[in-house]
Structure formats: structure tokens, C-alpha cells
Amino acid sequence: MTHPVVSREDWLTARKALLAKERDMTHQLDALRAERRRMPWVHIDKPYRFEGPKGECGLGDLFGDRDQLAIYHFMLTPGSDHICSGCCFVADHIDAARQHFEQADLAFAAVSRAPLQQIEKVRRRMGWSFPWVSSGEGDFNYDFGVSFTKADRAAGRAIYNYGSVIQNSPDMFGISIFTKDKKGEIFHSYSTYHRGVELVMGAFNWLDLTPKGRNENGAMSWLKLHDEY
């Protein structure tokens, strides 16, 4: 890899110039995060149901005793043997994070359309412990823009990430955030998809500090399930 090599003094000059840009970006991100927190909410009045290891549960049950809930929409299609390496990459970060953000009034659950037996097989293989439930063929995944019927895909009505038309995949990935008030009413506050999910990919943040960056030949070209390296 060919790269300029300079004196420590010249390096420090370049580093300080970059630091000024990093600080500016940090302030912009702070403002963006504040704007995200001010987003309006949507009241959830549909009785979504899920199947978990302890039986049937509702969206409110996934909060436990916390007032906020993060959902990861994990791509796991019923009857398919495909396990999304990108979703697994996200999931590898979750259990470590949960021990901290669950102290800050945030619960977590992953949701997939696949039946619970299929989910549990993947969970055991990957060694994850976070809550992961099945939405089955209920409306949840469809309402939150990560699952698409065959008819909608054929008709060009399968819209992902607020504008992209999905033609082939019945399931995609994303993150949705919910909150509840003192009465127990639930509200949807935020969802992000596609590259927005990079927000929670901590390994990318480390790689982005290095000269090779993410070292990709195409998006996530080197990525495998962690037991396949």
C-alpha cells in the first residue's frame, strides 16, 4: 500500500486539520441526534402478537419493565436455509451492548417472520442470548416495511427504506424504536433501514479508524458468520 510518509511535525499538522473537521462533524451529529429525539410519534393501536420461548406475547410484553424498546428486524424467512451474514454481524454486537443500554431504560428484542424453531436453531448456533421472537405471518413485519408479499413485489408496491422498490427478497432488515407512556400506551418513534443500521455496527467504527478502512471489495465482501472464519 503506497502512502505518504512524513515527519512527526507534518503528521501533527495534518492531524489537527482533520480534528477540526471531526469536531465539526461531531457537533452536526449531536444536532441530528437531538432532531431524531424530537421526531413525532405514532400511536400503536394494533394488537401485534409474537411467539417467544415462553409462549405468545404482545408488543408491550417485549418492553419488560422498561419504557423504551429497540427492535431489530432480523432477515430470517420462513422455510429458507439462508442466514443473512449482515444481520448476524449486527446481532454479534447486541448482547454486549444490552448489558449497558438496559440500564438506561431501553429493552431489546429481535423479530423475524421465521417460526420459533427456526429462530432457536440459529440462536443456538451463533451463541446469542438476546430475546428473539417470531412474528409469523402477522402484520408486524409488513407494517414496519421489512417484509413484502409476492403480489406486492410483482406489482412494484414493495417499498423499502422509504423509497426503494424491492423485487425479489421477501424480507429485509432494519431497526425500529418504540416507547410507552405512564398509561402503558405504545408509540412508534423511529425506524431506520439499509445503511442506517450501520449506527449499531461497532466493528465498522473500529475499522473506519484504520488505513484500510472496511477493507471491502464490494459491500461487506469479507463478511461471514462468525463460526465460518
Side-chain angles (χ1 to χ4, degrees):
M1 179 174 59
T2 302
H3 210 80
V5 177
V6 299
S7 67
R8 176 60 61 182
E9 291 76 14
D10 288 345
W11 180 90
L12 189 58
T13 298
R15 180 64 189 95
K16 287 182 176 179
L18 181 61
L19 178 60
K21 295 179 179 179
E22 289 174 337
R23 284 175 169 166
D24 181 60
M25 182 60 68
T26 297
H27 296 154
Q28 291 183 51
L29 287 172
D30 285 343
L32 179 64
R33 291 169 184 139
E35 185 175 353
R36 181 186 295 137
R37 292 192 294 271
R38 293 193 299 269
M39 279 279 294
W41 298 350
V42 177
H43 181 247
I44 301 297
D45 53 11
K46 186 177 289 188
Y48 295 113
R49 305 303 295 174
F50 308 93
E51 182 184 4
K54 297 181 180 180
E56 188 176 287
C57 59
L59 185 61
D61 296 315
L62 301 180
F63 282 80
D65 59 359
R66 295 172 176 85
D67 292 333
Q68 301 177 112
L69 170 67
I71 293 286
Y72 182 65
H73 302 284
F74 196 113
M75 284 177 62
L76 197 63
T77 301
S80 173
D81 293 330
H82 175 69
I83 303 174
C84 173
S85 59
C87 284
C88 289
F89 185 62
V90 172
D92 283 338
H93 294 81
I94 293 169
D95 282 326
R98 283 176 55 227
Q99 61 187 322
H100 299 288
F101 62 56
E102 289 187 350
Q103 310 310 312
D105 201 26
L106 178 64
F108 174 86
V111 176
S112 300
R113 282 197 310 124
L116 189 61
Q117 183 178 8
Q118 186 178 345
I119 288 172
E120 288 297 311
K121 182 178 178 180
V122 176
R123 184 214 299 278
R124 287 193 297 270
R125 174 180 170 178
M126 296 290 99
W128 299 322
S129 62
F130 55 78
W132 191 358
V133 297
S134 171
S135 61
E137 285 307 309
D139 292 340
F140 186 78
N141 275 37
Y142 299 97
D143 287 352
F144 288 94
V146 290
S147 292
F148 317 96
T149 66
K150 185 175 181 180
D152 282 345
R153 297 198 310 271
R157 298 189 301 263
I159 305 301
Y160 175 64
N161 196 26
Y162 309 108
S164 299
V165 177
I166 297 296
Q167 296 179 329
N168 298 315
S169 179
D171 293 286
M172 293 297 288
F173 61 96
I175 295 170
S176 291
I177 304 297
F178 301 88
T179 187
K180 63 180 180 179
D181 63 16
K182 293 180 180 180
K183 298 179 181 178
E185 297 291 318
I186 299 174
F187 304 87
H188 174 223
S189 66
Y190 183 72
S191 285
T192 190
Y193 309 96
H194 203 238
R195 290 199 65 180
V197 177
E198 289 181 14
L199 291 168
V200 300
M201 296 178 176
F204 272 172
N205 295 319
W206 283 99
L207 291 170
D208 286 341
L209 299 175
T210 69
K212 289 187 177 181
R214 299 182 186 184
N215 202 18
E216 298 170 319
N217 182 17
M220 295 184 169
S221 57
W222 48 262
L223 190 63
K224 297 180 181 180
L225 306 190
H226 65 236
D227 64 354
E228 294 178 342
Y229 289 124

